[in-house]
Amino acid sequence: MKNADRNIYISNTDVDKAKEIFFREIGDKLVSYEEIDVLNSLNRVTYEAVFAKNSSPHYNSAAMDGIAVVAENTYGANEVNPKILAEGKDFVYINTGNLIKEPYNAVIMIEDVIEMEEGKVKILNPAYPWQHIREIGEDIVAGEMIIPSNKKIRPLDLGALIAGGVEKLKVYKKPKIGIIPTGSEIVEKFEDLKEGKIIDSNSRVFEGLVLEYGGEPNRISPIKDDYELLKNTILKAVDENDIVLINAGSSAGSEDYTVNIIKEIGKVLVHGVAIKPGKPTILGIVNEKPVIGIPGYPVSSYIVFELFVKPLILKYSKFEEKKEEIRKAVLSKRIVSTLKNKEFVRVNLGYVKDKLIATPLTRGAGVTMSLVKADGVVEVPQSSEGIEAGDWVEVKLLKDEDRIKDTLVSIGSHDLIMDIISDIMPLSSGHVGSMGGIMAMRRGECHVSPIHLLDESTGEYNISYIKKYFKGRKMALIKGVKRLQGFMIKKGNPKNIKGFSDLTRDDVYFVNRQRGAGTRILLDYNLNKLNIESSNIKGYEREMTTHMAVAVSIKSNSSDTGLGIMSAAKAMNLDFIPVGYECYDFLVPFEYMEDEKIINFINVIKSKEFKDRVTKLGGYEFEGTGDVIIVGGLE
Amino acid sequence: MKNADRNIYISNTDVDKAKEIFFREIGDKLVSYEEIDVLNSLNRVTYEAVFAKNSSPHYNSAAMDGIAVVAENTYGANEVNPKILAEGKDFVYINTGNLIKEPYNAVIMIEDVIEMEEGKVKILNPAYPWQHIREIGEDIVAGEMIIPSNKKIRPLDLGALIAGGVEKLKVYKKPKIGIIPTGSEIVEKFEDLKEGKIIDSNSRVFEGLVLEYGGEPNRISPIKDDYELLKNTILKAVDENDIVLINAGSSAGSEDYTVNIIKEIGKVLVHGVAIKPGKPTILGIVNEKPVIGIPGYPVSSYIVFELFVKPLILKYSKFEEKKEEIRKAVLSKRIVSTLKNKEFVRVNLGYVKDKLIATPLTRGAGVTMSLVKADGVVEVPQSSEGIEAGDWVEVKLLKDEDRIKDTLVSIGSHDLIMDIISDIMPLSSGHVGSMGGIMAMRRGECHVSPIHLLDESTGEYNISYIKKYFKGRKMALIKGVKRLQGFMIKKGNPKNIKGFSDLTRDDVYFVNRQRGAGTRILLDYNLNKLNIESSNIKGYEREMTTHMAVAVSIKSNSSDTGLGIMSAAKAMNLDFIPVGYECYDFLVPFEYMEDEKIINFINVIKSKEFKDRVTKLGGYEFEGTGDVIIVGGLE
């Protein structure tokens, strides 16, 4: 789409202002109730107080197993002068819950009844009137309020409502939420997922969130970027629902259609909110119903949903909002922001020595995994140009705090074994390369740093780096695994790559790791040794942050080869030319060695389960895995 | 049922011991998984870690709207020497998300493109390779772990799973829970609810709880007390489910059948647990599957479900148990317990001056409302004979602590207007009569006490009592309502009751209020004045704790008349003979008058909504409602 066709008039409305405009316009007119059967009322919210129709019990009943008697006839009974009672005349046998019929007005427990011949019994004590009788209304009195209005019905409440004779009750209507995924590139089924196509996942997230907040989702299949088609679809959705969500594809086209259609058939209240991600949000009204245009990138779509759609659904469903858990945390990495918008930064959280540390995750709007992995969100206000490392920030927790407390925070080199460990114990694993890990550890951001750093002068791994970067500090190095590094190449090695000297060939595209990664250091060490100029390597400047990313680049023909671990090559079904084994170990400050999380971690990497699963990945050896080497602290 | 037919051999097994025996026998053999479609996986728990099948994006795509170019061809462009590019040859127009095809390897944003004639554009800056391109796997790399095992799938996770190409995944199977309500007196439908019959409500509570804990409930209609029928029903349920629950009717008969049937077709591990309520619990195994006999009383059935069934369901569903919130509270009333069992006492909670006060609710096993109204549970250990008032206890919260903090705690006289207030603001209302309220206030258990106490010497209400019981303390009396007291009688007044002198008639059955109730004081005052002997009144000793309970007793022919408020008579469609208006006011310690809850309370009783709703009840007048009288504090 060329410049001339674009709709680039988009405002930058403050988020609170946008909410105010939108919610004022909507008002309360759409909140309504329905009368439903009590048996369908679980988890619905009462529209008005519910009063008992019947008493419970609704008749006088025996509270014990025994005999029903007329109390006045038992007066005077004692051990010396027992009373003899005749069945049918003076008493009837009765079980707990049975109706007490006139003239009986008391129950004697079966244990206190001495049975005799011919339907006669003997009692040694008198009964007082109404003893062991559950009187009408002992539990619930007709007319009594069982639950007030605006209360979500729990299983327990259901029992009381039924016992109180309530057959039907008024609850808030569930708002119907129409969900329209749009974009010609969006497909619904995995089999339609060709190059240039994107699978629709946002609308499925919306469905789940709508259910969670007490609404009824009505999702339809993705709509192509066609003005008339989209217009008719929106009109139909508005007709059939209380709220309509239009999820733009990631292309600008569909967003433009949405705003123009809403302008044509209704009113656009806000187009463009000062938030990041989520700026191209559209808040509109069609036929008095709220219609929201949600941007296409997964993170944007989630944040816009939480900001604008969630409060809208709760307004109708009357579900109570879970209280936000806010904690103070120390920011471990600088966040740069602009004055243009309020930014929502996903962070990993970990308690390191009783201090909560917040480490920002990737900020791309497209990075779903940054949401899945996030433990919390830091809001950077519009008035701020960013937050410095070491500053205290307020974090909204996305996970249970106890779980965060139990989580071992690892920052450093990437390896596939980290996934396995995090499947066995609570582990948050950040991948910034070995040197990145060492820097994070110096800043106190993590409990453990996986590193594999080759000392070019000694050929030894890790120790000399620890001595250099933690001078005078007592550190522990937990031995990890030996892993095979080498060239990942396409199946069958079509470019006939044999070693480092092939990297400078004109027909070979290389893919590199980022500076500070142990694998990058290994590359540079070898290039140096062989006097190969890095500027002669095509793709040397193309940096990936994980072994798997390198493997995927080769697999998808973006490049021909890259250096990485054998397990990543195997996982992607690539061929592999070994360069050599290296030590992938775990650096820990000595004072953490008593920490339960570290003790647990050592137990995990020593376990049979861990070794069995790692062995299946291929390219690993276990030599002293779990052993601890103390480094430094004596200088 | 006579003594001889009964099964009275029931043990008193310690609850932890019972759990241990039961869970050891069951083991893990029934935990299993199933493979399901990702679209059905919301709120299911992963059986194993889930790894991405596809990368996302799965092709190199434009991160911006603009033109795709070959970076190397743009080198050297600047403002003085712009590069002119031809569409189709040097560039193609591209939208965000579009596939980047070879040979293109960079995107220039549309804002930086100057359009010219004949499909040509001008650029003023070079592009670097891979700029504004979302590379394959930028979000999710194939082979990467998306979520670990034992994790409940959130809407967010669903998005990542779909984006990662996961079509199917393994989750824990939902355990199927067979629910069998039993007892010949139990009916399912409201229209079958005759005298001697009880509506089945427990099994509906079970259904809700099973869903909450991640199981699949299979409830059947109530089964009569018939040995063979019940046996066959249990066998069928065991066949079709993973866990079977048999809910006894409240009669002993059905419980006896259950234990004998399990003995015949399986094994009874425990019969009788040392808990109150809930003692007659049966823990058994049939065909290797757990079968639990749950007592019939609503409170017992709930407690037994939570103790034994909930952990069983969670074991299979792998739903995480919500962390129990335990708080220290001061017990306001003595709890007497026996050494025979561990007792679970439901309590109301309220923060009075930053101290959490726990007030025990009715302890009857049949009192469903004690569960509905409970804010927490206090466990009295088996080794304890009880807990004294003023002692600190541990309370397990059943409500959100913030909600408890917001709740105004009222203890005192009962009136229907308390239901209305609690529907408008958070209010916990305990009904112990006016004098009971004064005693509770002296012990510091409540914020406010509703009272209507007649001073026989002056004919004035409340003030003299406050002066007497709060000597030297500054108290506030918030004026409430004037309400009409009188005789409630059956419609049409069949016994021709006209006043107090009729109460001694032989054919008149009276129903009284408890000692300390203002209404009781009003009665005794009048009897005294008229020289009527209370011992000549049939039913004088029969005490009810609320106006509604008195009304229900008359309505259901248990008695002919009782003293009470007009609104209760009207609610029960009874006739009414007025005796006079009285002042129903609210006593508050003066120092609470600044408390937000009290301020809110005064606003509520002054509101139009409150007065309108109370007027509808009938028999009330508003004279200075909400005015405050200061009493004492100067002596």
Side-chain angles (χ1 to χ4, degrees):
Chain A
M1 190 181 285
K2 297 188 189 181
N3 246 338
D5 309 329
R6 331 198 122 249
N7 178 337
I8 47 169
Y9 302 103
I10 174 165
S11 74
N12 197 43
T13 311
D14 171 82
V15 58
D16 293 323
K17 176 92 186 184
K19 269 191 184 176
E20 194 204 309
I21 295 170
F22 191 45
F23 283 88
R24 195 194 323 125
E25 182 82 18
I26 296 163
D28 275 326
K29 54 184 175 288
L30 296 170
V31 176
S32 64
Y33 70 86
E34 58 186 333
E35 196 170 54
I36 60 167
D37 194 291
V38 68
L39 296 178
N40 302 323
S41 68
L42 190 67
N43 289 327
R44 300 296 293 270
V45 180
T46 52
Y47 179 76
E48 56 184 22
V50 186
F51 295 88
K53 292 260 187 302
N54 300 339
S55 294
S56 171
H58 62 109
Y59 56 90
N60 293 322
S61 64
M64 296 280 184
D65 298 334
I67 57 171
V69 297
V70 176
E72 290 75 4
N73 299 344
T74 66
Y75 291 171
N78 59 42
E79 301 224 359
V80 182
N81 299 303
K83 287 254 174 192
I84 310 290
L85 306 174
E87 187 173 358
K89 183 174 154 284
D90 301 318
F91 78 91
V92 288
Y93 281 106
I94 201 158
N95 280 329
T96 306
N98 284 170
L99 172 67
I100 304 289
K101 289 195 188 119
E102 289 197 30
Y104 302 116
N105 67 354
V107 168
I108 298 174
M109 289 200 301
I110 196 71
E111 291 85 341
D112 295 335
V113 173
I114 301 154
E115 285 175 37
M116 302 169 68
E117 285 165 357
E118 293 164 23
K120 296 213 163 137
V121 301
K122 187 159 77 179
I123 55 164
L124 306 179
N125 289 295
Y128 57 88
W130 302 101
Q131 93 175 7
H132 302 320
I133 289 181
R134 286 191 76 204
E135 293 192 60
I136 292 175
E138 186 179 301
D139 184 359
I140 300 171
V141 179
E144 170 181 18
M145 183 174 74
I146 301 178
I147 39 175
S149 49
N150 295 311
K151 195 169 178 304
K152 203 189 212 181
I153 296 170
R154 302 168 297 173
L156 262 184
D157 301 322
L158 204 60
L161 289 169
I162 295 169
V166 176
E167 286 188 70
K168 295 199 173 283
L169 68 163
K170 284 182 186 161
V171 295
Y172 286 96
K173 248 191 184 164
K174 285 186 187 184
K176 288 183 192 156
I177 320 296
I179 301 170
I180 309 176
T182 73
S184 299
E185 78 281 20
I186 305 295
V187 298
E188 189 167 30
K189 293 187 187 124
F190 284 106
E191 63 254 38
D192 298 331
L193 191 58
K194 310 279 183 296
E195 274 197 341
K197 297 291 177 191
I198 295 171
I199 190 119
D200 170 37
S201 62
N202 290 344
S203 75
R204 308 295 186 172
V205 176
F206 295 165
E207 279 185 308
L209 293 170
V210 166
L211 288 170
E212 197 172 311
Y213 303 139
E216 190 184 301
N218 292 318
R219 175 192 167 279
I220 61 164
S221 294
I223 294 294
K224 294 216 177 311
D225 290 326
D226 173 319
Y227 191 94
E228 285 304 315
L229 174 63
L230 186 55
K231 185 173 95 177
N232 292 329
T233 307
I234 294 174
L235 279 170
K236 185 161 178 278
V238 166
D239 202 43
E240 292 169 355
N241 295 281
D242 300 302
I243 301 169
V244 173
L245 311 180
I246 303 146
N247 192 212
S250 49
S251 75
S254 44
E255 183 207 320
D256 291 348
Y257 285 149
T258 302
V259 74
N260 288 325
I261 290 168
I262 300 177
K263 266 183 200 154
E264 187 194 325
I265 61 176
K267 186 157 69 172
V268 171
L269 298 170
V270 175
H271 181 204
V273 180
I275 49 172
K276 188 183 171 186
K279 185 179 163 78
T281 299
I282 304 162
L283 305 175
I285 301 273
V286 176
N287 293 341
E288 298 201 309
K289 290 179 183 170
V291 174
I292 302 177
I294 301 180
Y297 276 132
V299 181
S300 319
S301 79
Y302 177 76
I303 285 173
V304 170
F305 191 100
E306 290 287 296
L307 278 175
F308 296 103
V309 186
K310 176 182 172 181
L312 203 51
I313 298 176
L314 295 181
K315 193 182 170 76
Y316 297 169
S317 73
K318 287 289 188 295
F319 271 34
E320 237 176 284
E321 193 160 2
K322 239 189 249 162
K323 210 186 63 182
E324 289 191 348
E325 298 274 356
I326 307 283
R327 294 288 178 279
K328 291 260 183 195
V330 174
L331 198 69
S332 70
K333 253 192 277 186
R334 195 178 171 207
I335 300 175
V336 181
S337 184
T338 73
L339 293 174
K340 268 189 267 168
N341 43 45
K342 183 177 196 173
E343 187 162 353
F344 298 85
V345 180
R346 283 82 65 205
V347 295
N348 264 152
L349 294 170
Y351 275 94
V352 180
K353 282 190 135 189
D354 292 333
K355 203 159 70 176
L356 188 62
I357 307 287
T359 305
L361 287 155
T362 328
R363 287 155 74 189
V367 186
T368 322
M369 286 307 289
S370 72
L371 270 179
V372 171
K373 288 189 173 168
D375 303 315
V377 172
V378 173
E379 294 187 10
V380 185
Q382 193 172 345
S383 60
S384 163
E385 290 192 278
I387 307 173
E388 294 302 316
D391 279 1
W392 287 91
V393 290
E394 289 201 333
V395 188
K396 191 179 105 182
L397 302 190
L398 297 178
K399 282 189 189 157
D400 196 55
E401 194 175 16
D402 283 335
R403 198 158 182 98
I404 293 168
K405 280 186 180 151
D406 287 347
T407 298
L408 185 74
V409 180
S410 163
I411 302 182
S413 168
H414 172 253
D415 192 283
L416 276 70
I417 70 167
M418 298 310 283
D419 276 354
I420 293 176
I421 298 170
S422 75
D423 190 32
I424 306 178
M425 66 176 282
L427 171 77
S428 142
S429 176
H431 307 139
V432 296
S434 295
M435 282 308 299
I438 281 185
M439 294 307 147
M441 168 103 9
R442 276 164 55 121
R443 291 190 300 265
E445 293 172 24
C446 55
H447 303 113
V448 46
S449 291
I451 55 174
H452 58 115
L453 289 161
L454 173 65
D455 183 338
E456 303 182 14
S457 54
T458 64
E460 189 193 56
Y461 271 87
N462 299 330
I463 305 285
S464 66
Y465 285 83
I466 301 172
K467 284 184 178 155
K468 181 173 168 195
Y469 288 99
F470 297 89
K471 212 164 236 157
R473 195 166 160 201
K474 199 170 177 184
M475 302 296 287
L477 187 70
I478 302 170
K479 293 301 286 174
V481 293
K482 294 214 153 189
R483 63 181 197 178
L484 199 52
Q485 284 269 21
F487 291 100
M488 301 192 235
I489 45 175
K490 287 191 190 98
K491 207 75 194 166
N493 198 3
K495 292 270 168 99
N496 195 27
I497 292 161
K498 284 171 186 152
F500 290 99
S501 51
D502 290 309
L503 301 186
T504 53
R505 276 164 47 193
D506 249 11
D507 63 334
V508 171
Y509 279 81
F510 184 71
V511 57
N512 208 349
R513 289 292 307 279
Q514 84 277 22
R515 264 154 286 186
T519 305
R520 170 75 167 258
I521 293 171
L522 181 68
L523 172 76
D524 291 345
Y525 168 72
N526 280 287
L527 296 181
N528 222 359
K529 221 168 57 178
L530 300 166
N531 276 319
I532 298 171
E533 272 293 333
S534 66
S535 60
N536 290 333
I537 301 174
K538 274 193 165 161
Y540 180 85
E541 70 290 336
R542 210 162 149 213
E543 298 178 348
M544 299 285 162
T545 56
T546 68
H547 295 277
M548 288 301 283
V550 170
V552 163
S553 174
I554 297 160
K555 181 78 181 175
S556 62
N557 296 321
S558 289
S559 41
D560 297 309
T561 188
L563 211 55
I565 53 178
M566 181 183 156
S567 55
K570 197 179 158 201
M572 277 289 126
N573 200 22
L574 294 171
D575 277 355
F576 186 76
I577 304 164
V579 169
Y581 276 97
E582 62 172 16
C583 300
Y584 183 83
D585 302 327
F586 301 95
L587 176 62
V588 180
F590 181 77
E591 67 265 31
Y592 294 175
M593 291 301 290
E594 298 292 300
D595 188 298
E596 289 236 347
K597 295 186 282 292
I598 296 291
I599 293 168
N600 188 17
F601 174 75
I602 294 176
N603 287 335
V604 167
I605 63 172
K606 281 177 151 175
S607 71
K608 187 172 176 306
E609 179 189 356
F610 172 74
K611 290 180 182 172
D612 285 351
R613 290 177 68 172
V614 170
T615 301
K616 274 186 206 146
L617 296 176
Y620 293 92
E621 289 191 357
F622 307 96
E623 211 178 279
T625 297
D627 288 355
V628 177
I629 298 167
I630 308 299
V631 185
L634 299 170
E635 293 103 322
Chain B
M1 191 181 282
K2 298 188 188 184
N3 245 338
D5 308 329
R6 331 197 123 248
N7 179 335
I8 49 169
Y9 303 103
I10 174 165
S11 74
N12 196 42
T13 310
D14 172 82
V15 58
D16 293 324
K17 175 94 186 185
K19 269 191 185 177
E20 194 204 309
I21 294 170
F22 190 46
F23 283 88
R24 195 196 319 127
E25 182 83 18
I26 296 163
D28 275 326
K29 54 183 175 289
L30 296 170
V31 176
S32 64
Y33 69 86
E34 58 185 333
E35 197 170 54
I36 60 168
D37 194 289
V38 67
L39 296 178
N40 302 322
S41 69
L42 190 66
N43 290 326
R44 299 297 294 270
V45 180
T46 53
Y47 180 76
E48 56 184 22
V50 186
F51 296 88
K53 293 259 185 307
N54 300 338
S55 294
S56 171
H58 62 108
Y59 56 91
N60 294 321
S61 64
M64 296 280 186
D65 299 333
I67 57 171
V69 298
V70 177
E72 290 76 3
N73 298 345
T74 67
Y75 292 171
N78 60 41
E79 301 224 358
V80 183
N81 298 304
K83 286 254 175 191
I84 310 290
L85 305 175
E87 187 172 359
K89 185 173 152 286
D90 300 320
F91 79 91
V92 289
Y93 281 105
I94 201 159
N95 280 329
T96 307
N98 285 170
L99 172 67
I100 303 289
K101 290 197 188 113
E102 287 196 32
Y104 302 115
N105 67 354
V107 168
I108 299 175
M109 290 199 301
I110 197 71
E111 290 85 342
D112 295 334
V113 173
I114 301 154
E115 284 175 37
M116 301 169 69
E117 285 164 0
E118 293 164 23
K120 295 212 164 134
V121 300
K122 185 159 77 177
I123 55 165
L124 306 179
N125 290 294
Y128 56 87
W130 302 100
Q131 95 176 5
H132 302 321
I133 290 181
R134 286 190 77 203
E135 293 193 60
I136 292 175
E138 186 179 300
D139 183 359
I140 299 172
V141 178
E144 171 182 16
M145 183 173 75
I146 300 177
I147 39 175
S149 50
N150 295 311
K151 196 170 177 304
K152 202 189 212 180
I153 296 170
R154 302 168 296 173
L156 263 183
D157 301 322
L158 204 61
L161 289 168
I162 295 169
V166 176
E167 286 188 72
K168 294 195 173 286
L169 69 164
K170 285 181 186 162
V171 295
Y172 287 96
K173 249 192 182 164
K174 285 186 188 186
K176 287 183 192 157
I177 319 295
I179 300 169
I180 309 176
T182 73
S184 298
E185 79 283 19
I186 305 294
V187 298
E188 189 168 29
K189 293 188 189 124
F190 284 106
E191 61 254 39
D192 299 331
L193 191 57
K194 310 278 181 294
E195 274 197 342
K197 297 291 176 189
I198 294 171
I199 190 117
D200 170 37
S201 62
N202 290 344
S203 75
R204 308 295 187 172
V205 176
F206 295 166
E207 279 185 308
L209 292 171
V210 166
L211 288 170
E212 196 171 312
Y213 302 139
E216 190 183 301
N218 292 317
R219 174 191 168 279
I220 61 164
S221 293
I223 294 294
K224 295 219 175 308
D225 290 326
D226 173 319
Y227 191 94
E228 284 304 314
L229 175 63
L230 186 56
K231 184 172 96 177
N232 292 330
T233 307
I234 294 174
L235 280 170
K236 186 160 176 280
V238 166
D239 200 44
E240 292 169 355
N241 295 281
D242 300 303
I243 301 170
V244 173
L245 311 180
I246 302 147
N247 192 210
S250 50
S251 75
S254 44
E255 183 208 320
D256 291 349
Y257 286 148
T258 302
V259 73
N260 288 326
I261 291 168
I262 300 177
K263 266 183 200 153
E264 186 194 325
I265 60 176
K267 187 156 68 172
V268 170
L269 298 169
V270 175
H271 181 203
V273 180
I275 49 172
K276 186 179 172 190
K279 185 179 162 80
T281 298
I282 304 163
L283 305 174
I285 301 275
V286 175
N287 293 341
E288 298 200 309
K289 289 179 184 170
V291 174
I292 302 177
I294 301 180
Y297 274 132
V299 181
S300 319
S301 80
Y302 177 75
I303 285 174
V304 169
F305 191 100
E306 290 287 297
L307 278 175
F308 296 103
V309 185
K310 176 181 171 181
L312 202 53
I313 298 176
L314 295 180
K315 194 183 169 80
Y316 297 168
S317 73
K318 287 289 188 297
F319 271 34
E320 237 178 284
E321 194 162 1
K322 239 188 248 160
K323 212 186 63 183
E324 289 191 347
E325 298 274 357
I326 306 285
R327 294 288 178 280
K328 291 260 185 196
V330 175
L331 198 68
S332 69
K333 252 192 278 185
R334 194 178 172 206
I335 300 176
V336 182
S337 184
T338 73
L339 293 173
K340 267 190 268 171
N341 42 45
K342 184 177 196 172
E343 186 162 353
F344 297 85
V345 180
R346 283 83 64 206
V347 296
N348 263 153
L349 293 170
Y351 275 94
V352 180
K353 282 190 136 191
D354 293 334
K355 203 158 72 176
L356 187 61
I357 307 286
T359 304
L361 287 155
T362 328
R363 286 154 77 190
V367 185
T368 322
M369 286 307 289
S370 73
L371 271 177
V372 170
K373 288 189 172 168
D375 303 316
V377 172
V378 173
E379 294 186 10
V380 185
Q382 193 171 347
S383 60
S384 162
E385 290 191 278
I387 306 173
E388 294 301 317
D391 280 1
W392 286 92
V393 290
E394 290 202 333
V395 189
K396 190 180 105 182
L397 302 190
L398 296 178
K399 282 190 186 153
D400 196 54
E401 195 176 15
D402 283 336
R403 199 161 179 94
I404 293 168
K405 280 186 179 152
D406 287 346
T407 298
L408 184 74
V409 180
S410 162
I411 302 182
S413 168
H414 171 252
D415 193 283
L416 276 71
I417 70 167
M418 298 310 283
D419 275 354
I420 292 176
I421 297 170
S422 75
D423 189 33
I424 305 178
M425 67 175 282
L427 170 77
S428 142
S429 176
H431 307 139
V432 296
S434 294
M435 282 309 299
I438 282 187
M439 294 308 146
M441 168 97 17
R442 276 163 56 119
R443 291 191 301 265
E445 292 172 26
C446 55
H447 302 113
V448 46
S449 292
I451 56 174
H452 58 114
L453 289 162
L454 172 65
D455 183 338
E456 303 184 13
S457 54
T458 64
E460 188 193 55
Y461 271 88
N462 299 328
I463 305 285
S464 66
Y465 286 84
I466 302 171
K467 285 185 177 153
K468 180 173 171 194
Y469 288 99
F470 297 89
K471 214 164 232 155
R473 195 166 159 202
K474 199 171 177 184
M475 303 296 287
L477 187 70
I478 303 170
K479 293 301 287 174
V481 293
K482 294 215 154 189
R483 63 181 197 178
L484 198 52
Q485 283 270 21
F487 290 100
M488 301 194 235
I489 44 176
K490 286 190 191 103
K491 207 77 192 166
N493 199 1
K495 291 271 167 102
N496 195 26
I497 292 162
K498 284 171 186 152
F500 289 99
S501 51
D502 290 309
L503 300 185
T504 53
R505 274 164 48 191
D506 247 14
D507 63 331
V508 171
Y509 279 83
F510 184 70
V511 57
N512 207 350
R513 289 291 308 278
Q514 83 278 22
R515 263 153 288 188
T519 304
R520 170 75 165 256
I521 292 171
L522 181 68
L523 172 75
D524 291 345
Y525 168 72
N526 279 288
L527 295 181
N528 224 355
K529 221 167 60 176
L530 300 167
N531 276 319
I532 298 171
E533 272 293 330
S534 66
S535 59
N536 290 334
I537 301 175
K538 274 193 167 162
Y540 181 84
E541 69 290 337
R542 213 163 146 213
E543 299 178 347
M544 300 285 162
T545 57
T546 68
H547 295 277
M548 288 302 283
V550 170
V552 163
S553 174
I554 298 160
K555 182 81 181 171
S556 62
N557 296 321
S558 289
S559 40
D560 297 309
T561 187
L563 211 55
I565 52 178
M566 182 182 156
S567 56
K570 197 179 159 201
M572 276 289 127
N573 200 22
L574 294 171
D575 276 355
F576 185 77
I577 304 164
V579 169
Y581 276 97
E582 62 171 17
C583 300
Y584 183 84
D585 301 326
F586 302 95
L587 177 63
V588 180
F590 181 76
E591 68 264 30
Y592 295 174
M593 291 301 290
E594 298 292 299
D595 189 301
E596 290 238 346
K597 293 186 283 291
I598 296 291
I599 294 169
N600 189 15
F601 174 76
I602 294 175
N603 287 334
V604 167
I605 63 171
K606 281 177 152 175
S607 71
K608 187 172 177 306
E609 180 189 357
F610 171 74
K611 290 180 181 171
D612 285 352
R613 289 178 67 173
V614 171
T615 301
K616 273 188 207 146
L617 296 177
Y620 293 93
E621 290 190 357
F622 306 97
E623 210 179 281
T625 296
D627 288 354
V628 177
I629 299 168
I630 309 299
V631 185
L634 298 169
E635 293 101 324

